[in-house]
Amino acid sequence: MKNKGIPSLIAALPGAFIAVGVKTFLHPCIHEDGSAGACGGAGQMLFWLGIAVAAVAAALAFMRSTRVRIALWAALTVVGVVIMLTPGVIMPLCMMMTMRCQTVTRPAALVLGLLTAVLSLAFCAREAMGAAKGRRA
């Protein structure tokens, strides 16, 4: 299949955006004394999930085995769902609905996780259809 690097680059963008965003403008609550709130763990988990998405998606550009590529795309789909569920479901957030983690971090994780899952699923299906077409020919 030609242009294996383009889908990988596209899929790496939401992961990089999550990783950079959680450390900058999408960060969860920080108390006045500089300590992290209850949502600090969710921010750390989102950071590492974003790094993982970006790294695996970048590595996909260099993978030659179709089976490995399909498996990695499927794994990235699952990671996208985990990103969506991390703030508030897997990891606790602050109780007040007006806190930054509830109004900024959680919606951003939902959107970027959904984007990661949908893109990865689409690229996985594209890869699988390309492999099936190659077997028939």
Side-chain angles (χ1 to χ4, degrees), residues 11 53 56 60 69-85 112-125:
V53 167
V56 170
L60 273 162
R69 291 178 59 77
I70 291 171
L72 289 176
W73 283 123
L76 283 179
T77 302
V78 172
V79 172
V81 173
V82 171
I83 288 170
M84 290 185 334
L85 297 176
L112 292 170
L114 182 63
L115 182 63
T116 300
V118 168
L119 284 173
S120 298
L121 186 61
F123 292 138
C124 182

Side-chain angles (χ1 to χ4, degrees), residues 6-134:
I6 302 297
S8 301
L9 177 65
I10 292 170
L13 290 176
F17 196 74
I18 290 167
V20 171
V22 169
K23 292 296 183 181
T24 56
F25 59 95
L26 298 176
H27 65 83
C29 307
I30 299 174
H31 295 155
E32 291 179 13
D33 63 359
S35 64
C39 51
Q44 286 295 332
M45 187 170 173
L46 286 172
F47 172 74
W48 289 110
L49 287 169
I51 293 290
V53 167
V56 170
L60 273 162
F62 304 103
M63 296 288 167
R64 295 193 187 273
S65 170
T66 302
R67 289 181 179 171
V68 171
R69 291 178 59 77
I70 291 171
L72 289 176
W73 283 123
L76 283 179
T77 302
V78 172
V79 172
V81 173
V82 171
I83 288 170
M84 290 185 334
L85 297 176
T86 293
V89 177
I90 296 173
M91 300 290 287
L93 295 180
C94 298
M95 299 302 277
M96 291 178 53
M97 294 306 288
T98 58
M99 298 296 284
R100 182 176 179 81
C101 58
Q102 295 279 6
T103 60
V104 176
T105 308
R106 187 178 196 170
L110 180 64
V111 169
L112 292 170
L114 182 63
L115 182 63
T116 300
V118 168
L119 284 173
S120 298
L121 186 61
F123 292 138
C124 182
R126 178 178 174 235
E127 195 84 34
M129 289 187 343
K133 196 178 284 187

